[in-house]
Amino acid sequence: MSDAPKQGAQPAGRSSGDGTAARGGASWKVPLAAGAALLLVTAAVAVVRFSEDPAEETGAAQEAGASGAPSGSAADGPGDAAPDTAPAGADAPMARRQADDPTALGEVDAPVVMVVYSDYHCPYCGRWVQETQPELEHYVESGDLRIEWRDFPVITDTSEDVARASRAAAEQGAFWEFHEAYYAATEEPGERDPEETLAGVVDELGLDAGRFDEDRAADAAAEQVERDFSEGLSIGVTSTPAFLINGQAVMGAQPLEVFEAVIDSSLEAAGTGDGGGRQ
């Protein structure tokens, strides 16, 4: 039986908001020192929180208040930006800008880099992938935006296994196809066996199943996932999805307009116009 989150259920430590709090069980995960970590990250980035659903925001605000988030960063009402929001800088903290990175979309020298910390068993991550990411890809196509994926497997005990599987798909040049297919396969409510889902995705994408199994069990896949998770912890990520857009943090599967506003302001700060394309 799958340990994927159930509709309406709230596992221990998890928020009812649109950012899903850390809960994972992999042996290499260190305990999340949420208060101290958030103090570190808020010293470096401005936190932007919006919500389509006030009920969702309530849970997120309670979580942030308990963990030491600065006043105003999580308790603002729907559509209100945190008062301490700072303009995006010309550079993009935490961006790797590796030309051969199979988990990145867009040009290496794009003026704006969105770093995405996500979990394949996070329903809000899936919502963002299905509804919001496609609407942002015109920025990628114009050369204005680069999206860099980071695995932050915290939702279920098998989240890390799926993250490793995505790296195995990347070895066959199919990371983003896997990314979309797995979320699509888990979109419907109800329990499912992750291994059966993975087998279906492998078949759908026409991957070499033997090589896939070998690569996802390899140390390299585990090291890549651990690197991402450790990076997220180091800047105070405690929930998914979490985004850094040229140094501005956006927490949760926010409305499209939130991402567009931050990207456009980042483009302006980088001196590339108003978000309508490079000048």
Side-chain angles (χ1 to χ4, degrees), residues 15 35 66 77 79 87 93 107 137 141 177:
S15 164
E107 297 182 11
E137 289 181 1
E141 293 167 0
E177 291 82 357

Side-chain angles (χ1 to χ4, degrees), residues 173-265:
F175 173 82
W176 290 100
E177 291 82 357
F178 175 95
H179 165 88
E180 295 174 7
Y182 192 87
Y183 277 121
T186 58
E187 187 177 16
E188 296 298 323
E191 297 182 357
R192 55 185 54 82
D193 182 345
E195 286 298 316
E196 291 181 1
T197 303
L198 287 174
V201 170
V202 167
D203 183 63
E204 175 186 344
L205 300 181
L207 302 181
D208 181 325
R211 180 184 173 189
F212 177 84
D213 287 338
E214 181 178 340
D215 288 339
R216 67 175 170 142
D219 290 342
E223 290 166 1
Q224 290 165 348
V225 174
E226 180 175 357
R227 177 190 181 191
D228 286 358
F229 186 82
S230 297
E231 176 188 290
L233 287 180
S234 75
I235 62 168
V237 174
T238 61
S239 63
T240 58
F243 308 84
L244 274 183
I245 305 173
N246 273 26
Q248 292 195 53
V250 178
M251 307 304 296
Q254 305 298 340
L256 172 63
E257 292 78 10
V258 173
F259 293 95
E260 291 176 329
V262 178
I263 292 169
D264 288 344
S265 67

Side-chain angles (χ1 to χ4, degrees), residues 112-123:
V112 179
V113 180
M114 174 190 291
V115 182
V116 183
Y117 298 89
S118 196
D119 184 311
Y120 285 102
H121 288 162
C122 165

Side-chain angles (χ1 to χ4, degrees), residues 47-221:
V47 176
V48 183
R49 277 188 179 268
F50 296 81
S51 180
E52 295 175 295
D53 185 344
E56 291 184 352
E57 185 65 15
T58 300
Q62 291 173 345
E63 175 194 351
S67 62
S71 176
S73 66
D76 301 310
D80 295 327
D84 296 330
T85 297
D91 199 4
M94 311 314 295
R96 295 174 185 168
R97 295 188 183 274
Q98 297 173 341
D100 59 349
D101 184 355
T103 68
L105 288 175
E107 297 182 11
V108 173
D109 63 347
V112 179
V113 180
M114 174 190 291
V115 182
V116 183
Y117 298 89
S118 196
D119 184 311
Y120 285 102
H121 288 162
C122 165
Y124 298 104
C125 301
R127 185 174 77 180
W128 188 86
V129 167
Q130 295 293 315
E131 300 177 5
T132 307
Q133 181 182 313
E135 298 298 323
L136 298 176
E137 289 181 1
H138 69 93
Y139 288 103
V140 176
E141 293 167 0
S142 67
D144 288 321
L145 176 68
R146 179 176 173 87
I147 300 176
E148 295 189 354
W149 177 269
R150 304 285 189 270
D151 284 303
F152 201 76
V154 292
I155 304 302
T156 74
D157 290 338
T158 57
S159 291
E160 183 185 349
D161 295 335
V162 181
R164 293 186 186 189
S166 75
R167 301 310 175 111
E171 290 295 318
Q172 298 189 47
F175 173 82
W176 290 100
E177 291 82 357
F178 175 95
H179 165 88
E180 295 174 7
Y182 192 87
Y183 277 121
T186 58
E187 187 177 16
E188 296 298 323
E191 297 182 357
R192 55 185 54 82
D193 182 345
E195 286 298 316
E196 291 181 1
T197 303
L198 287 174
V201 170
V202 167
D203 183 63
E204 175 186 344
L205 300 181
L207 302 181
D208 181 325
R211 180 184 173 189
F212 177 84
D213 287 338
E214 181 178 340
D215 288 339
R216 67 175 170 142
D219 290 342

